[in-house]
Amino acid sequence: MAAIVSLFAFVFAIVGLSNLSLIQAQKGGFSVELIHRDSPKSPLYNHLDTTCNRVTNALRRSFNRVHRFKPTSVSTMEAEADIISDSGEYLMNISIGTPAFDIVAIADTGSDLIWTQCKSCSQCFPQTAPLFDPTASSTYKTFSCRTSQCGDVEGTSCSSNGSCKYSVSYGDGSYSNGEVAADTLTLDSTTGSPVVVPNVIMGCGHDNDGSFDENTSGIIGLGGGHSSLISQLGTTIDGKFSYCLLPFSEAGNSSKMNFGSDAVVSGNGVVSTPLTKQSPQTFYFLTLEAISVGTNRINFTDKPFGIDQGNIIIDSGTTLTLLPDDFYSELEPAVSSMINATKVNGPEGLNLCYDATTEFTVPDITVHFSGADVKLQPLNTFVLISETVACFTFSSLPNFAIYGNLAQMNFLVGYDTIKQTVSFKPTDCSNN
């Protein structure tokens, strides 16, 4: 079986150690090691899990994560940042405050606000690390509800004393409530000096609960909205970031997440497609025109978000590629007609599975974005979910479309939020 795929959620392991300014840090840039969740290097590693257990868990999280896309509120520097995967999402180890206080938070391309659990906590989900104490940071400050900083954060309100409060909740029942604040954020580098970013807008959560892991402390928003880390870094990274997602077979190796000029995706094989701005600004929308199975091109005419352009979200935290029912009902038989193998039942949500005890050939599948034809490899399109069963990594979801991380594996994927493009380059991510 040529297609053993993985899930990809990672962890930014970024620890701040000095008081360098952002201007000083940009001279040398920075990079951080990217560690897969299931690598023995990861603090989340469970030695009892088999590779198939990890894949199955990732597929389950893929469907659960869809709820996160429905929140009820919601000078050029070279930089690279560490990632370790957790629960189908990224985790970032960052430092907040002065002196720097290390925290671990989910790094989420489907969220904007940066928030962490804080003392004192009226209701907090369990976490193994100490809570951030804002009174211990000399650079921590809050805002009144009349400030522009308060207006840049979705879901804010005024407290009885006029301070700015935030409230964010998700379709899976998770939520965070607290005060809008600013503090110093420190990102470590494996190739240079730490990058210290002053006055980063964040949420200090005093009432938080939901499906958060005890090894995490909150969320680092990497979306396209005003309050996300990407937007706040802005011109200092020239609006650019990129990542390269490793398969399970390379879980012991390391890669990088890049920012600024280090995030430029160039060279042979690069294709680029426009980012489409629409509401909500958090998500990164692309335009899917068709998917080809061999020479059979199936045009994508669905409008899951109501318009022709920007009809699919690209997300590094969702495992599967999820497509509207009508389109998927054409895609699946096109794939199955070109596979000579025994069909078997798979887990819920995976409709096309085969007996993997005998090797079979996977058809060529090309995803046609506007201006960019992305030819997938077998490891992008089929995943081994047990020792004997392999399943198609695309599935159906009513009136929704997400391009998941299995389809992005072993591609260098670069975002340019100024030029409004996403670029893809086939890459051996273990050597990136």
Side-chain angles (χ1 to χ4, degrees):
M1 170 63 194
I4 299 179
V5 205
S6 80
L7 68 105
F8 308 92
F10 313 93
V11 168
F12 271 143
I14 311 175
V15 181
L17 301 174
S18 78
N19 289 323
L20 280 176
S21 72
L22 191 59
I23 300 301
Q24 289 174 309
Q26 80 180 55
K27 295 178 180 177
F30 73 90
S31 65
V32 188
E33 186 181 20
L34 186 152
I35 304 171
H36 192 278
R37 163 195 165 80
D38 295 310
S39 167
K41 296 180 180 180
S42 168
L44 303 168
Y45 176 71
N46 184 347
H47 72 281
L48 297 177
D49 280 344
T50 65
T51 297
C52 294
N53 289 150
R54 293 164 187 146
V55 171
T56 301
N57 291 338
L59 299 177
R60 172 181 49 79
R61 290 191 298 264
S62 190
F63 287 102
N64 291 340
R65 179 172 169 79
V66 172
H67 296 297
R68 293 222 171 222
F69 288 91
K70 301 173 182 178
T72 56
S73 60
V74 249
S75 55
T76 301
M77 173 180 63
E78 297 179 0
E80 300 172 357
D82 282 353
I83 306 180
I84 304 168
S85 61
D86 174 52
S87 303
E89 295 136 355
Y90 301 120
L91 294 181
M92 294 179 71
N93 293 317
I94 64 173
S95 296
I96 290 177
T98 307
F101 181 87
D102 298 343
I103 67 167
V104 180
I106 299 166
D108 189 8
T109 54
S111 296
D112 289 325
L113 182 65
I114 303 166
W115 64 265
T116 186
Q117 299 203 110
C118 294
K119 289 183 179 180
S120 57
C121 214
S122 61
Q123 166 63 52
C124 279
F125 59 85
Q127 70 174 59
T128 55
L131 296 175
F132 174 64
D133 183 357
T135 64
S137 173
S138 62
T139 47
Y140 181 88
K141 60 184 177 183
T142 58
F143 299 98
S144 79
C145 56
R146 296 186 299 274
T147 59
S148 60
Q149 291 90 342
C150 186
D152 282 342
V153 178
E154 294 286 339
T156 55
S157 61
C158 280
S159 68
S160 57
N161 64 4
S163 65
C164 183
K165 300 292 184 181
Y166 78 90
S167 178
V168 60
S169 59
Y170 305 90
D172 65 354
S174 303
Y175 65 86
S176 176
N177 303 307
E179 59 189 5
V180 175
D183 210 336
T184 298
L185 178 71
T186 306
L187 310 177
D188 196 23
S189 169
T190 60
T191 58
S193 300
V195 173
V196 177
V197 189
N199 298 316
V200 171
I201 305 302
M202 58 172 282
C204 197
H206 300 290
D207 178 13
N208 325 287
D209 204 1
S211 57
F212 300 107
D213 191 282
E214 64 180 7
N215 293 301
T216 67
S217 306
I219 285 182
I220 304 297
L222 298 174
H226 293 301
S227 60
S228 77
L229 178 62
I230 302 301
S231 296
Q232 291 196 63
L233 291 176
T235 56
T236 63
I237 60 168
D238 201 23
K240 297 181 178 69
F241 68 99
S242 66
Y243 53 73
C244 206
L245 308 185
L246 289 165
F248 268 129
S249 59
E250 302 291 345
N253 293 335
S254 298
S255 189
K256 299 180 180 74
M257 187 167 184
N258 310 311
F259 296 94
S261 57
D262 277 3
V264 175
V265 179
S266 61
N268 293 333
V270 175
V271 294
S272 299
T273 187
L275 275 169
T276 300
K277 285 188 175 181
Q278 60 174 295
S279 181
Q281 293 181 344
T282 302
F283 307 139
Y284 296 103
F285 292 92
L286 307 181
T287 299
L288 176 63
E289 294 182 344
I291 296 178
S292 291
V293 182
T295 59
N296 181 13
R297 180 182 173 110
I298 306 167
N299 291 325
F300 188 78
T301 58
D302 294 71
K303 299 179 181 180
F305 307 112
I307 56 176
D308 292 322
Q309 304 297 310
N311 55 19
I312 190 168
I313 294 168
I314 181 171
D315 181 48
S316 58
T318 300
T319 307
L320 297 171
T321 292
L322 302 172
L323 299 165
D325 294 338
D326 289 346
F327 181 80
Y328 183 81
S329 67
E330 295 184 64
L331 179 64
E332 182 187 309
V335 174
S336 63
S337 68
M338 298 185 68
I339 295 178
N340 184 18
T342 303
K343 287 186 179 181
V344 296
N345 292 327
E348 183 179 0
L350 295 181
N351 304 315
L352 185 61
C353 299
Y354 291 96
D355 180 354
T357 58
T358 302
E359 185 172 318
F360 61 89
T361 301
V362 174
D364 291 335
I365 296 178
T366 301
V367 179
H368 303 283
F369 294 111
S370 176
D373 295 338
V374 179
K375 184 177 180 180
L376 303 180
Q377 298 301 312
L379 56 78
N380 300 118
T381 57
F382 275 83
V383 59
L384 200 64
I385 62 158
S386 74
E387 298 301 325
T388 60
V389 178
C391 295
F392 189 38
T393 61
F394 290 49
S395 191
S396 60
L397 185 70
N399 302 316
F400 216 75
I402 300 176
Y403 192 65
N405 57 42
L406 290 178
Q408 300 175 57
M409 181 179 63
N410 271 356
F411 283 88
L412 181 60
V413 183
Y415 297 68
D416 188 327
T417 61
I418 294 178
K419 293 183 178 178
Q420 288 291 294
T421 60
V422 172
S423 299
F424 300 88
K425 181 180 181 180
T427 303
D428 180 354
C429 292
S430 63
N431 293 324
N432 181 52

